[in-house]
Amino acid sequence: MAYMTDILYFDNAATTAMSKQALETYVSVATNYMGNPSALHKEGLKAKALLQEKRESIAQHLGVQASTLTFTSGATEANALVLNNLIWAPQSGHAVLSNIEHPSMKEHARILRQLGWSLTFLNAPHGFVNPEDVQAALTEKTRFVGCMLVNNVVGSIQNVGTLVSLVREYQKKSNRKIHFHTDAVQALGKIPFSLTELGVDSASFSAHKFKGPQGVGLLYNIDPALQPLSRGGNQENGMRPGTENLAGIAAMGTALDEAFAHLEENSQRVEKINHFLRSELSCLPILSPSEHASPYILTISVKPLPSEVFTRMLYDRGFCVSSGSACSNNAKQKGESVLTSMLVRSDEAKSSVRLSFGYDTTFAEAESLASTIKTLYRELT
Ligand code: PMP
């Protein structure tokens, strides 16, 4: 979809523009709700009621109890909330993380090691964490396992349910709690999944990936031992003190309603776009797996051209795509290291270009992208 400019936007895994309805909800709540949800007067109670209504409708979409949900400033905070519990644990232990986690998970490694934790990072050959590798990594000291549901670099869908079962079996034998967390940011509103069937202890989500506002997210948690990240008032049952971002939360709820109402049809349309691009660009290495992958992400390699050169030339022609993930200044290296841990050849990883689709990406836009990529590649090689 062409937004305010003529840009053709293929970077929806990085962020999405707020939907019209979500924006309307945001403006309406920001305009009409003046009270703090913790205040006891009428305006406060009105705000509190809306907060609860949104918590319940979001919980319904997720198939969980409303009391398991904590509103946060995004998935980075939700991931930090969970991982900081290890930092504050009275005794250090062992944690297992996939090597393809988002930096908001992986970047805790240094501090954890400083505090005496040992960490095992598991590779994900061809995009997937091997259940046997998880099994082999577990020790008597393991207290935490983290594995994302959909990878943000190539879109691979991890077999989280199986990984959780293996962890639970081990936990039964060792009689020690192991917390299983999944970062489900790239899954929500895009692929169907059930948190209760997966059996995870916690999961993180971010509104701006499904056309809600930036700076709003969600933590699902059923582990009673989880402690808050910051201290303050009793908002969010004390799990996330600080006045709630009511307009943002309400807009997230609206965006999620829309995403769930059109989940199937969106997914079928995006799948067609994905298949079309795969076939049009079959002359290039495709780094996203062809099975067990989200249709919303397609990563290709334009080797021998450096990805930043190619993405820049695509920008110049009106396309927004991404070289690696767009989460930090050194995102390219991060994306590259994720690809290397998937056993992608280094020359292909250095030339990776991520195309990511949204609910309103059209076939005509995909046709235009395919022909521009092909022409550009031919001209430059
Ligand atoms: N995890 C994944 C898989 C992501 O793609 C992102 C967004 N780039 C995040 C976490 C962080 O989300 P937020 O921007 O809400 O902090």
Side-chain angles (χ1 to χ4, degrees), residues 13-14 73-77 79 101-102 104-105 148 150-152 183-186 204-209 215-217 325-327 354:
S73 64
T76 298
E77 187 188 5
N79 286 337
E101 295 302 303
H102 186 264
S104 57
M105 293 287 292
M148 67 201 328
V150 173
N151 174 257
N152 55 307
D183 172 335
V185 165
Q186 298 290 347
S204 49
F205 307 98
S206 179
H208 70 100
K209 307 292 182 173
V216 192
S325 70
C327 300
R354 182 183 69 182

Side-chain angles (χ1 to χ4, degrees), residues 180-248:
F180 197 114
H181 175 74
T182 192
D183 172 335
V185 165
Q186 298 290 347
L188 187 57
K190 296 183 178 155
I191 61 157
F193 64 92
S194 154
L195 287 169
T196 48
E197 276 171 30
L198 292 177
V200 293
D201 290 292
S202 58
S204 49
F205 307 98
S206 179
H208 70 100
K209 307 292 182 173
F210 52 85
K211 291 197 144 291
Q214 294 172 346
V216 192
L218 200 59
L219 174 71
Y220 159 78
N221 174 58
I222 54 167
D223 182 351
L226 197 80
Q227 297 289 318
L229 179 63
S230 48
R231 312 286 152 159
N234 197 39
Q235 291 95 343
E236 300 297 297
N237 264 329
M239 187 54 81
R240 204 276 188 171
T243 304
E244 293 90 348
N245 174 0
L246 188 62

Side-chain angles (χ1 to χ4, degrees), residues 78-99:
N79 286 337
L81 231 158
V82 174
L83 276 164
N84 270 273
N85 271 262
L86 308 187
I87 291 169
W88 291 333
Q91 280 168 349
S92 57
H94 171 241
V96 180
L97 283 173
S98 91
N99 229 337

Side-chain angles (χ1 to χ4, degrees), residues 7-190:
I7 288 292
L8 295 179
Y9 190 73
F10 286 90
D11 199 15
N12 292 274
T15 199
T16 57
M18 266 172 93
S19 74
K20 192 165 167 284
Q21 276 188 49
L23 192 56
E24 277 167 13
T25 298
Y26 189 96
V27 172
S28 157
V29 173
T31 311
N32 298 310
Y33 286 76
M34 57 163 61
N36 186 318
S38 298
L40 295 176
H41 49 65
K42 203 169 156 218
E43 280 301 317
L45 296 177
K46 181 177 144 190
K48 188 179 178 179
L50 181 68
L51 191 63
Q52 188 54 16
E53 184 190 311
K54 289 292 167 182
R55 198 187 311 278
E56 274 162 19
S57 70
I58 293 171
Q60 220 164 34
H61 288 310
L62 290 171
V64 300
Q65 299 282 323
S67 59
T68 60
L69 301 181
T70 299
F71 293 121
T72 65
S73 64
T76 298
E77 187 188 5
N79 286 337
L81 231 158
V82 174
L83 276 164
N84 270 273
N85 271 262
L86 308 187
I87 291 169
W88 291 333
Q91 280 168 349
S92 57
H94 171 241
V96 180
L97 283 173
S98 91
N99 229 337
I100 58 168
E101 295 302 303
H102 186 264
S104 57
M105 293 287 292
K106 275 176 97 172
E107 290 295 310
H108 289 82
R110 195 158 33 94
I111 175 106
L112 283 171
R113 284 198 175 110
Q114 273 169 11
L115 293 169
W117 280 75
S118 62
L119 274 100
T120 303
F121 277 103
L122 300 178
N123 279 344
H126 313 295
F128 302 98
V129 173
N130 213 324
E132 292 88 69
D133 291 347
V134 172
Q135 204 162 22
L138 300 173
T139 75
E140 288 245 307
K141 292 197 152 187
T142 309
R143 299 285 170 271
F144 182 88
V145 177
C147 182
M148 67 201 328
L149 190 52
V150 173
N151 174 257
N152 55 307
V153 177
V154 297
S156 50
I157 302 174
Q158 304 303 312
N159 198 347
V160 169
T162 300
L163 305 187
V164 174
S165 305
L166 291 172
V167 168
R168 296 296 177 237
E169 260 171 49
Y170 188 89
Q171 186 180 292
K172 240 187 250 161
K173 277 189 271 159
S174 71
N175 210 15
R176 299 216 184 231
K177 172 73 185 161
I178 302 175
H179 184 111
F180 197 114
H181 175 74
T182 192
D183 172 335
V185 165
Q186 298 290 347
L188 187 57
K190 296 183 178 155

Side-chain angles (χ1 to χ4, degrees), residues 170-368:
Y170 188 89
Q171 186 180 292
K172 240 187 250 161
K173 277 189 271 159
S174 71
N175 210 15
R176 299 216 184 231
K177 172 73 185 161
I178 302 175
H179 184 111
F180 197 114
H181 175 74
T182 192
D183 172 335
V185 165
Q186 298 290 347
L188 187 57
K190 296 183 178 155
I191 61 157
F193 64 92
S194 154
L195 287 169
T196 48
E197 276 171 30
L198 292 177
V200 293
D201 290 292
S202 58
S204 49
F205 307 98
S206 179
H208 70 100
K209 307 292 182 173
F210 52 85
K211 291 197 144 291
Q214 294 172 346
V216 192
L218 200 59
L219 174 71
Y220 159 78
N221 174 58
I222 54 167
D223 182 351
L226 197 80
Q227 297 289 318
L229 179 63
S230 48
R231 312 286 152 159
N234 197 39
Q235 291 95 343
E236 300 297 297
N237 264 329
M239 187 54 81
R240 204 276 188 171
T243 304
E244 293 90 348
N245 174 0
L246 188 62
I249 290 165
M252 167 164 70
T254 299
L256 203 56
D257 290 343
E258 286 180 85
F260 271 82
H262 306 287
L263 193 83
E264 187 60 36
E265 85 195 64
N266 281 338
S267 157
Q268 280 174 6
R269 205 175 32 74
V270 168
E271 214 151 286
K272 280 192 193 132
I273 287 173
N274 187 310
H275 281 148
F276 167 76
L277 284 168
R278 275 177 191 270
S279 105
E280 285 294 300
L281 304 174
S282 58
C283 51
L284 300 171
I286 306 269
L287 306 183
S288 292
S290 53
E291 286 186 344
H292 306 297
S294 163
Y296 286 84
I297 296 177
L298 180 63
T299 296
I300 58 170
S301 174
V302 291
K303 71 169 185 171
L305 307 166
S307 47
E308 66 275 22
V309 170
F310 202 79
T311 50
R312 166 65 53 194
M313 298 196 83
L314 279 174
Y315 296 158
D316 293 345
R317 283 154 184 77
F319 296 90
C320 281
V321 300
S322 154
S323 51
S325 70
C327 300
S328 62
N329 289 336
N330 54 358
K332 188 174 152 357
Q333 285 89 331
K334 295 262 160 65
E336 241 173 78
S337 93
V338 164
L339 288 169
T340 310
S341 68
M342 293 180 181
L343 311 185
V344 170
R345 287 167 37 168
S346 140
D347 60 336
E348 292 184 354
K350 282 183 170 43
S351 302
S352 71
V353 175
R354 182 183 69 182
L355 317 172
S356 55
F357 318 117
Y359 305 140
D360 37 21
T361 306
T362 67
F363 209 83
E365 288 171 346
E367 283 176 327
S368 172

